[in-house]
């Protein structure tokens, strides 16, 4: 095993088809993880897998809709059969729906909660079951948001789902630490990806950027170092149940 403990491990990234998930997959693959790329859009996953393989990494794709319990179970089985038990899980899949609270529909509520919270919970459960059975000192990284630390405008369901994800992270850390599994959460600040592109171009989006300390959004690679740390073996051994903002100070003031 390499010093980082990532080399050779099976790492499943949900929502690897775009944005932060695709970046996390590239970073973990470059560190020697054997990648399971999971999402709904298979064309995007196939292209990313080809790119990673061309760079010498091992990568498979798996169809995953985290809002479906059955889909999660099926994806976990495929990952284990093809590459072996999951050692690293990055719970990254997420959606946001912008609306005033009085206008939120039941459908939007269920979509956001079902994807961001329920999906992440059962994905972590499926991965942890494999880790526990095989005695793996696993690493689970939940991608929450600054919205989990302070509510963002017209993003009530999103903010609620991410806040609950932080308590979920601590519960998992508390229960699974005894199995050698570390569960931590990253709260990214604003990073230019598909999830935020509509908002960023609005007047409110421009005002937001003007209010940020450096007057600019983050970039996906701003999270590389933190992701590698939390997925590592020895360096991360004592980091469990941590909620770490990576937001250029946005949530600090
Ligand atoms: N960008 C930011 O500023 C920011 C800030 C804080 C937190 N985050 C969080 O970072 C994570 C990644 O977001 P992003 O910025 O990279 O946005 P993005 O480009 O829109 O990516 C979202 C990913 O989630 C996947 N996904 C959505 N619903 C899914 C489902 N039901 N099953 C499986 N996968 C699903 C999508 O894949 P498919 O559509 O192919 O399934 C896509 O790959 C999210 O959890 C988001 O809340 C982002």
């Amino acid at each position: 095993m390499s010093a980082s403990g990532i080399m050779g491990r099976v790492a499943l990234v949900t929502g690897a088809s775009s944005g932060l998930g695709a970046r996390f997959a590239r970073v973990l693959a470059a560190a020697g993880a054997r990648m399971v790329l999971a999402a709904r859009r298979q064309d995007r996953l196939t292209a990313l897998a080809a790119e990673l393989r061309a760079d010498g990494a091992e990568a498979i794709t798996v169809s995953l809709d985290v809002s479906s319990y059955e889909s999660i179970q099926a994806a976990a089985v495929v990952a284990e059969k093809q590459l072996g038990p999951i050692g690293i899980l990055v719970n990254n899949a997420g959606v946001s729906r912008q609306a005033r609270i009085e206008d939120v529909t039941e459908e939007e509520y269920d979509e956001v909660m079902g994807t961001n919270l329920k999906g992440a919970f059962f994905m972590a459960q499926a991965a942890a079951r494999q880790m526990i059975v095989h005695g793996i000192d696993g690493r689970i990284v939940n991608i929450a948001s600054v919205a989990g630390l302070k509510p963002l405008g017209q993003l009530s369901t999103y903010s609620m789902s991410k806040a609950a994800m932080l308590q979920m992270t601590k519960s998992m850390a508390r229960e699974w630490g005894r199995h050698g599994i570390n569960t931590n959460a990253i709260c990214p600040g604003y990073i230019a990806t598909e999830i935020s592109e509509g908002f960023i171009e609005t007047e409110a989006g421009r005002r937001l950027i003007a209010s940020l300390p450096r007057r600019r959004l983050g970039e996906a690679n701003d999270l590389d170092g933190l992701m590698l740390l939390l997925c590592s073996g020895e360096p991360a051994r004592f980091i469990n149940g941590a909620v770490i903002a990576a937001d250029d100070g946005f949530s600090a003031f």
Side-chain angles (χ1 to χ4, degrees):
M1 189 183 280
S2 72
S4 78
I6 294 174
M7 178 77 75
R9 286 209 158 193
V10 175
L12 188 150
V13 178
T14 70
S17 54
S18 65
L20 300 185
R23 179 67 196 175
F24 297 144
R26 289 186 176 101
V27 167
L28 290 172
R34 302 163 64 219
M35 299 306 306
V36 183
L37 310 177
R40 294 168 300 182
R41 288 171 295 177
Q42 291 303 293
D43 51 335
R44 293 215 187 184
L45 295 183
T46 303
L48 179 57
E51 176 196 314
L52 299 184
R53 285 191 210 111
D55 289 340
E58 204 173 337
I60 64 164
T61 65
V62 60
S63 174
L64 171 68
D65 178 351
V66 294
S67 67
S68 156
Y69 180 82
E70 290 72 29
S71 178
I72 289 172
Q73 305 312 310
V77 168
V78 170
E80 184 169 21
K81 270 201 183 138
Q82 291 199 25
L83 288 188
I86 298 164
I88 294 170
L89 169 67
V90 181
N91 246 334
N92 164 81
V95 290
S96 74
R97 294 288 169 260
Q98 196 175 3
R100 294 185 192 283
I101 295 175
E102 60 269 32
D103 297 328
V104 172
T105 64
E106 183 183 13
E107 193 185 13
E108 285 166 350
Y109 184 100
D110 288 343
E111 184 191 8
V112 173
M113 289 296 179
T115 305
N116 298 2
L117 186 58
K118 182 182 165 199
F121 180 90
F122 284 108
M123 191 65 244
Q125 181 195 64
R129 282 176 174 163
Q130 294 184 9
M131 293 170 186
I132 292 167
V133 165
H134 294 278
I136 295 171
D137 286 349
R139 300 287 180 260
I140 297 173
V141 182
N142 294 322
I143 306 304
S145 168
V146 286
L149 301 171
K150 60 179 189 180
L152 301 182
Q154 297 186 33
L155 285 172
S156 57
T157 52
Y158 182 74
S159 301
M160 289 157 60
S161 71
K162 296 298 190 178
M165 187 185 232
L166 301 183
Q167 196 71 325
M168 179 186 93
T169 299
K170 294 175 190 178
S171 295
M172 289 173 176
R174 183 176 178 144
E175 290 198 24
W176 293 338
R178 78 194 64 155
H179 297 292
I181 301 168
N182 290 22
T183 311
N184 295 293
I186 298 177
C187 295
Y190 285 92
I191 295 174
T193 64
E194 287 171 39
I195 210 170
S196 54
E197 68 187 8
F199 171 67
I200 290 309
E201 286 150 16
T202 64
E203 184 50 38
R206 279 191 285 276
R207 273 202 309 274
L208 172 97
I209 292 174
S211 76
L212 297 174
R214 279 174 236 258
R215 314 281 187 264
R216 67 158 179 84
L217 301 177
E219 291 166 15
N221 61 11
D222 285 328
L223 303 177
D224 290 0
L226 186 53
M227 177 56 64
L228 286 171
L229 171 64
L230 295 180
C231 292
S232 68
E234 281 298 304
R237 200 174 49 151
F238 208 53
I239 308 173
N240 194 21
V243 170
I244 305 174
D247 63 356
D248 202 17
F250 175 77
S251 60
F253 37 78

